[in-house]
Amino acid sequence: YKMIDGQKFKVLDGAKSRQKLKDLNEILVVAYMIKTGMSWHDDGEDGLDDVVVTLSLGGPSSFKVRIKASMLAQCNKAGIFMDHPPPPLEVLRASGYGNRMKSQKGPLKEDEAHYGARWAAYHELQEYKKQSHTAAELKEFQRGLAEKLGLQWRKSPTPVLDLTNLHGDLVIMQGGGVQKFYDHQVTAGANLRVSMTARTILPGHLKHGRKQKIDVQPAEKLYDPTALRAHRGDGDHVVWRD
């Protein structure tokens, strides 16, 4: 871990990160028509590794990231306390924690004391799970924790990241927690945009009959975004040139 401006950040292992990028074996190509996009979602699909690498080509696009609603509220739509550690307080505050909702019932005050109570409830749940209980009893216990804390479902957390991707920009999302705890949204601008997203299909995910025998050779030319230039013409097509 590394301290930056008084905050604790996990530092990725450089060698492991480079190896994960070398293991990429699948590319998904998506074309975005003018002023279209993809609504809030995550890329946490079964059978895929936790690295997502996306190259943007063509027109600019907006890339936003927000915490999942269940992470912000610490409960789901049914009012069940979520079995995961609370996110960092700084992330919650940036997502809207502490802002009173119009539909809020009661004098709930989301402050550091309430955040500490979330952690206490999480540890209480872990101790409860060590005992013998039915699924129904566990669910009811989690509902009671949410009610005791006054937790309420929130529909639209505030985005914590807003990027503008230009032609040739590369975005890398790494770590299972990114897809588990966050959603992202993409909106194209006034020009055609194409995204090329590379992932790693894990060994054993595909059945033997679906596996393709492909001989992949190292690239003769390394990726250089400065060498990519787009001629947008009438806005309906993009030409890439070396």
Side-chain angles (χ1 to χ4, degrees):
Y1 290 86
K2 184 177 181 180
M3 298 299 294
I4 302 176
D5 293 333
Q7 298 187 46
K8 191 176 181 181
F9 291 85
K10 184 176 182 179
V11 180
L12 297 176
D13 185 300
K16 290 183 179 179
S17 296
R18 287 190 292 272
Q19 183 59 48
K20 282 180 173 289
L21 294 179
K22 290 181 180 179
D23 292 339
L24 299 173
N25 58 14
E26 178 230 21
I27 293 182
L28 173 66
V29 181
V30 178
Y32 292 81
M33 299 297 103
I34 295 174
K35 295 183 178 180
T36 62
M38 194 172 294
S39 60
W40 294 105
H41 67 286
D42 66 60
D43 290 341
E45 302 173 48
D46 292 337
L48 299 180
D49 200 10
D50 61 5
V51 177
V52 183
V53 182
T54 300
L55 171 65
S56 292
L57 301 173
S61 64
S62 168
F63 177 82
K64 296 182 180 181
V65 177
R66 74 180 186 187
I67 198 170
K68 290 181 182 290
S70 60
M71 292 296 296
L72 175 59
Q74 195 77 36
C75 70
N76 60 20
K77 291 183 179 180
I80 304 300
F81 185 87
M82 300 299 292
D83 186 10
H84 56 64
L89 183 56
E90 293 78 7
V91 174
L92 288 177
R93 284 174 171 167
S95 303
Y97 185 78
N99 298 332
R100 187 177 180 86
M101 300 175 290
K102 293 181 180 180
S103 61
Q104 183 173 310
K105 302 175 182 178
L108 172 64
K109 184 178 180 181
E110 293 178 329
D111 52 16
E112 291 189 18
H114 184 267
Y115 179 71
R118 280 196 181 192
W119 269 107
Y122 170 74
H123 291 305
E124 185 178 348
L125 176 59
Q126 305 316 303
E127 290 300 318
Y128 186 82
K129 288 165 56 180
K130 294 178 181 179
Q131 305 169 24
S132 178
H133 301 287
T134 65
E137 289 173 335
L138 177 60
K139 185 176 182 180
E140 196 58 33
F141 183 79
Q142 290 176 261
R143 188 190 305 278
L145 289 176
E147 291 177 353
K148 182 172 64 175
L149 291 173
L151 301 180
Q152 296 180 48
W153 170 260
R154 296 189 177 191
K155 185 177 181 181
S156 303
T158 303
V160 295
L161 182 65
D162 189 349
L163 300 176
T164 297
N165 290 328
L166 302 177
H167 179 68
D169 283 349
L170 198 67
V171 172
I172 300 177
M173 294 186 286
Q174 181 170 340
V178 176
Q179 309 306 329
K180 183 178 181 180
F181 302 132
Y182 293 89
D183 289 326
H184 56 274
Q185 177 191 67
V186 180
T187 305
N191 296 99
L192 174 68
R193 184 230 181 198
V194 175
S195 70
M196 300 180 66
T197 300
R199 300 289 301 270
T200 299
I201 300 177
L202 298 173
H205 178 62
L206 294 179
K207 296 180 180 179
H208 182 73
R210 296 183 60 193
K211 294 182 179 179
Q212 300 183 29
K213 296 181 179 180
I214 302 176
D215 183 21
V216 180
Q217 300 296 330
E220 296 181 359
K221 183 186 296 186
L222 295 177
Y223 169 69
D224 180 8
T226 62
L228 294 173
R229 299 188 302 277
H231 172 69
R232 294 188 173 82
D234 59 5
D236 292 330
H237 67 282
V238 176
V239 179
W240 294 278
R241 302 169 179 167
D242 275 334

